Amino acid sequence: MTLSPFHLAIPVYDLAAARTFYGEVFGLEEGRSSTQWVDFNFYGHQLVIHEHPKTASQESVHSNPVDGHDVPVPHFGIILGWQQWEALAERLKSFGTQFVIEPYIRFQGQVGEQATMFLFDPCGNALEFKAFKDMSQLFAK
């Protein structure tokens, strides 16, 4: 399957903290930037952080129950290869990352089994990173 890169622009109320987080903690390559926004190579996709006043979802977290955990909504992320996901989990732990949902295997032994973890960036944007050992399970019911 060939995927086209997506473009996602998110609000951040502290551009410097968000720039450090995505650049240093995640190790994402920085692209173009200005005094109000920064592009990052987000695993082959274009993630742009835009300076913006705090949003309602950054102020007060909403969540929905999934597999016994409170999943923050809205959120975004990427599906990585299994080994990439494990390496990212270790990298984030080495930076002392506070997880909303610690890295674990969701739906273990069931259709759609996946590795997942949730965290917030410094501006309250929720991120999810997941992996499937069997990518054919991505949309399985």
Side-chain angles (χ1 to χ4, degrees):
M1 172 179 7
T2 302
L3 296 176
S4 296
F6 67 79
H7 164 85
L8 177 65
I10 61 169
V12 295
Y13 54 83
D14 185 336
L15 189 65
R19 183 181 225 160
T20 298
F21 178 78
Y22 288 102
E24 293 180 19
V25 176
F26 276 102
L28 301 180
E29 180 185 347
E30 189 174 309
R32 293 177 301 276
S33 66
S34 81
T35 57
Q36 296 155 330
W37 56 268
V38 181
D39 282 348
F40 286 99
N41 179 345
F42 189 71
Y43 302 94
H45 303 280
Q46 186 183 45
L47 173 66
V48 187
I49 57 173
H50 279 273
E51 193 167 52
H52 185 281
K54 193 178 283 190
T55 66
S57 64
Q58 292 169 327
E59 190 76 48
S60 176
V61 177
H62 174 77
S63 64
N64 288 329
V66 178
D67 193 37
H69 293 275
D70 291 325
V71 170
V73 177
H75 65 265
F76 74 95
I78 193 92
I79 298 168
L80 299 170
W82 198 270
Q83 291 176 333
Q84 275 185 298
W85 182 89
E86 289 177 327
L88 178 60
E90 289 307 311
R91 179 184 179 97
L92 293 172
K93 288 176 186 176
S94 77
F95 275 89
T97 300
Q98 294 240 322
F99 294 95
V100 176
I101 299 174
E102 294 280 337
Y104 85 109
I105 308 304
R106 176 193 285 167
F107 309 130
Q108 197 159 15
Q110 302 174 48
V111 172
E113 180 177 285
Q114 59 196 258
T116 189
M117 61 181 136
F118 284 83
L119 59 141
F120 287 105
D121 75 7
C123 296
N125 295 298
L127 296 98
E128 177 184 19
F129 294 88
K130 58 171 72 176
F132 293 81
K133 283 191 176 173
D134 179 357
M135 281 300 289
S136 73
Q137 295 287 295
L138 181 61
F139 297 109
K141 294 181 180 183

